[in-house]
Amino acid sequence: MLDFFQRLFAKDTNNASKKVATERLRLVLVHDRADISPHLLQSLKEDLIKVISEYMEIDQGNLEVSLANESDSIALVCNIPVLRMKRSAS
């Protein structure tokens, strides 16, 4: 019985690891093609946080900024959880 559960969960772990590795490789290729260093992407992320924080309160811990390669173009993809809007710009 224990072997059954180990095989069941091991298979899911292998698939999850495979997906994570594939996603990381895809991101490396996109960054190489865009010729954007990780430092520049981090600076862009910090600037986005500064500008957006003037208008809304965001969850910075769950903010995601990445590049995606879509049909011969590169897109900036942001997932920015908004906690609430500010009534006036600060």
Side-chain angles (χ1 to χ4, degrees):
M1 186 69 156
L2 181 60
D3 289 338
F4 170 75
F5 286 115
Q6 287 175 336
R7 279 185 273 147
L8 179 67
F9 291 118
K11 185 175 182 180
D12 288 338
T13 303
N14 288 338
N15 284 339
S17 296
K18 183 178 178 180
K19 287 180 183 178
V20 169
T22 302
E23 181 63 21
R24 285 182 181 163
L25 179 59
R26 189 186 63 77
L27 286 174
V28 168
L29 290 173
V30 168
H31 284 236
D32 283 349
R33 290 181 184 159
D35 197 23
I36 295 177
S37 69
H39 176 71
L40 182 60
L41 188 61
Q42 182 62 33
S43 294
L44 175 63
K45 183 178 175 180
E46 291 169 4
D47 288 346
L48 284 170
I49 289 171
K50 277 187 222 170
V51 171
I52 293 171
S53 294
E54 290 183 21
Y55 300 97
M56 57 189 76
E57 187 176 321
I58 60 175
D59 182 3
Q60 294 183 21
N62 291 317
L63 183 138
E64 296 173 1
V65 176
S66 63
L67 297 172
N69 189 9
E70 297 179 11
S71 63
D72 297 335
S73 65
I74 297 175
L76 176 65
V77 180
C78 300
N79 182 6
I80 304 169
V82 176
L83 300 176
R84 67 183 170 125
M85 299 298 293
K86 292 183 178 178
R87 293 189 180 257
S88 62
S90 51

